[in-house]
Amino acid sequence: MDISPENIHVVVIGAGVIGLTTAIRTLEAGFRVSIVAEHFPGDVKSIYYTSPWAGAHHVSHAEVGDLQMDEETFHTLWKLSEGEAEGCFMKIPHIECREEEEVGPCALEFMPDFRRLDSHELLPGSKSGYCFNTLTIDTPKYLPYLLQRFLSLGGTISRNRVQHVSQVIDGAFTRIPPDAVLVCAGLGARTLGGVEDKDVHPIRGQIVLIRAPWIKSGRTVILGGTKADDDWYPHPRPETTDSILHRTLTIFPELVPPPVRAKYSDDPTHRFTIEDLKPIIIENGCGLRPARKGGIRLESEVMQGTTPRKVIVVHNYGHGGAGYQSSWGSATIAISLLQKALTGFS
């Protein structure tokens, strides 16, 4: 088997942020790449396609072993925000206060303009803190950008529902059978035949999208979200919507439309309520973050379809709520695993 990248056809299963990013990295490594997925950027929002629901920003909470992925991803996103994908990002300051005293180095010291907070800058009840600059990601713009970048590099796509990895290995959805498969199926890895990873489970999140052009972030603002382990409920819960509105209104009353605030400008005792926000709601939404007990699965194996022909399969899924913030770093690891497996396979 000739393992020169230009002679290797790779199929990526999944077109969420992990699948798209991994597919781009694979193309950049010189391989020929196709994406096979049921959902793509630009589709109507669905509980079955998590990436478009994300209110993505980059603040890593990864353990030491995964921090390198997040750091690489941040530097990649920061560079994109200053170039071809500038419109997909907004740079913002970030402040964190801690109830406990932090000593020693901070894992986030790689962030731009990182510094420790002085005592007079801390919130009441906190003992330490720091600030730095980071960015938020406009996911409805960023996902189509990733897809267009993939296509412009020569990648191809096929819209199909994959029931079993063997279908992909046998070439059911591509012109020729692949030499390798990258599984970036997110929550689908739990039920995907040939994988069926029961350690994969959802962390449900719910958000509220409002129209608020008076806020610096733009015409719309994402409020929320929530985290609920093993919660598969596919629709927004009204009581959760009310909770999100109440909590965000408490910490940021500027969400109330200026005409409503002006009406009570002479009454310092007036308290705005969530009813003041409900008229500017665009939509309520929820998504199922694809988490995995034991963390991200990044490993390779050899599999076969319905014939004796064997191919390399690399798994890259289980990112939970850290898909955007670890996407480029985990893609780099996945490609390294692919290259190493192909060398041994030959």
Side-chain angles (χ1 to χ4, degrees):
M1 178 181 178
D2 185 351
I3 62 169
S4 303
E6 64 271 17
N7 294 318
I8 300 294
H9 176 217
V10 180
V11 169
V12 176
I13 300 176
V17 66
I18 298 300
L20 292 168
T21 308
T22 303
I24 290 170
R25 278 283 189 254
T26 311
L27 277 172
E28 291 174 339
F31 296 94
R32 293 180 291 117
V33 186
S34 302
I35 295 175
V36 177
E38 185 176 4
H39 306 284
F40 283 93
D43 289 1
V44 175
K45 286 183 176 180
S46 163
I47 193 66
Y48 304 107
Y49 187 37
T50 300
S51 290
W53 286 112
H57 71 302
H58 201 291
V59 178
S60 177
H61 296 284
E63 300 293 332
V64 174
D66 291 336
L67 186 62
Q68 186 175 349
M69 287 190 291
D70 288 11
E71 184 174 352
E72 177 184 340
T73 301
F74 177 78
H75 291 311
T76 301
L77 295 176
W78 193 264
K79 184 177 180 180
L80 287 174
S81 74
E82 296 179 334
E84 60 185 86
E86 179 181 3
C88 299
F89 305 93
M90 182 175 70
K91 295 179 179 178
I92 59 172
H94 182 88
I95 299 174
E96 287 201 17
C97 293
R98 302 279 181 166
E99 293 181 344
E100 67 280 357
E101 186 73 42
E102 283 200 355
V103 295
C106 175
L108 295 174
E109 290 180 2
F110 66 87
M111 300 295 281
D113 300 317
F114 176 94
R115 69 174 179 86
R116 302 278 184 176
L117 295 178
D118 294 329
S119 58
H120 71 275
E121 297 176 289
L122 297 173
L123 293 174
S126 58
K127 296 181 179 180
S128 63
Y130 41 80
C131 63
F132 50 82
N133 289 326
T134 185
L135 44 75
T136 59
I137 307 168
D138 190 341
T139 58
K141 292 182 180 178
Y142 182 62
L143 290 172
Y145 158 76
L146 291 177
L147 178 58
Q148 287 305 121
R149 179 171 167 182
F150 170 75
L151 295 172
S152 69
L153 289 171
T156 61
I157 62 174
S158 174
R159 185 187 294 272
N160 283 282
R161 181 181 182 186
V162 181
Q163 297 170 298
H164 198 286
V165 177
S166 66
Q167 295 173 312
V168 176
I169 294 174
D170 289 343
F173 310 122
T174 51
R175 187 173 57 83
I176 58 173
D179 302 296
V181 176
L182 295 173
V183 178
C184 304
L187 195 61
R190 182 180 175 89
T191 55
L192 177 64
V195 179
E196 298 172 271
D197 188 340
K198 299 309 178 185
D199 286 332
V200 173
H201 63 96
I203 300 178
R204 184 181 181 276
Q206 186 168 323
I207 57 95
V208 182
L209 182 66
I210 64 170
R211 188 176 305 282
W214 55 91
I215 303 299
K216 178 186 175 182
S217 60
R219 294 180 58 82
T220 60
V221 180
I222 295 174
L223 308 181
T226 63
K227 294 177 69 174
D229 281 333
D230 292 309
D231 185 348
W232 291 85
Y233 192 70
H235 309 296
R237 292 187 174 100
E239 63 273 20
T240 304
T241 296
D242 287 350
S243 174
I244 291 171
L245 293 175
H246 176 74
R247 288 184 285 118
T248 51
L249 180 60
T250 299
I251 62 175
F252 198 67
E254 290 83 359
L255 292 171
V256 175
V260 178
R261 279 184 279 137
K263 188 183 302 184
Y264 298 98
S265 60
D266 296 330
D267 182 3
T269 64
H270 181 77
R271 294 292 179 264
F272 297 106
T273 72
I274 63 175
E275 299 305 318
D276 296 310
L277 297 181
K278 288 185 176 180
I280 58 174
I281 292 177
I282 298 172
E283 67 175 342
N284 302 304
C286 61
L288 304 178
R289 304 177 184 94
R292 181 175 181 270
K293 297 174 185 176
I296 302 170
R297 185 182 183 189
L298 277 162
E299 60 185 10
S300 65
E301 62 177 316
V302 176
M303 298 180 66
Q304 67 184 63
T306 58
T307 70
R309 179 175 172 273
K310 297 180 180 180
V311 303
I312 299 296
V313 175
V314 177
H315 301 280
N316 183 16
Y317 62 81
H319 297 70
Y324 283 88
Q325 70 188 35
S326 63
S327 53
W328 292 100
S330 67
T332 296
I333 294 174
I335 303 315
S336 177
L337 288 170
L338 172 63
Q339 293 166 330
K340 182 178 179 180
L342 285 170
T343 301
F345 194 61
S346 64

